[in-house]
Amino acid sequence: MDTVHPISDFSSRPEEYIKRLKATGKPEILTVNGKAEVIIQDARAYEDMMNLLDSLEKTAHAAREHEEGKGIAADDAFCTLSKRISGKFPDADL
C-alpha cells in the first residue's frame, strides 16, 4: 500500500509529504517499528471530512426523529417557513 510510510521517512522529508497530501487529498499512515501509529492528512481534506461527518450526524438525527414520529409534514414546514420569511422580508415574492 503506497499510503503507509515509516515515520522516519516523513521526518526526513516532510515537505514532500505535505506536497503529496495537498495534491491527493488522501490521508496517509505513518508507522513506528512497522506498526501504524498516526494518520496525517491535508487540512482542507480534514475540514471536508469533518463537514461531511457533521452532515451525516444531522441526517442520522433527523432520521431518528422521523422514525420516532417527531417530524412534521413538509407542507406544514414550508408554510411555517414562508410565514417567517414574509415577516422578516415583507417584499419577498413567496
Side-chain angles (χ1 to χ4, degrees):
M1 181 184 286
D2 63 340
T3 60
V4 178
H5 309 277
I7 200 162
S8 57
D9 191 39
F10 171 77
S11 297
S12 65
R13 300 178 298 158
E15 55 284 330
E16 264 182 49
Y17 279 77
I18 292 169
K19 184 177 179 180
R20 186 173 59 244
L21 291 166
K22 285 184 175 209
T24 67
K26 306 274 185 194
E28 296 188 9
I29 300 168
L30 299 181
T31 62
V32 175
N33 298 323
K35 181 181 173 195
E37 289 292 332
V38 295
I39 307 282
I40 57 172
Q41 186 173 29
D42 172 61
R44 182 179 305 255
Y46 177 79
E47 288 175 5
D48 290 345
M49 182 180 67
M50 294 284 71
N51 289 334
L52 176 60
L53 179 60
D54 184 53
S55 295
L56 291 172
E57 287 173 342
K58 288 177 181 176
T59 301
H61 178 74
R64 277 192 305 275
E65 285 189 342
H66 174 74
E67 289 172 2
E68 295 169 359
K70 295 180 180 177
I72 61 172
D75 288 343
D76 294 340
F78 284 118
C79 182
T80 300
L81 183 60
S82 180
K83 287 177 183 175
R84 286 183 185 172
I85 292 172
S86 294
K88 290 186 179 187
F89 304 98
D91 296 335
D93 184 24
L94 303 175

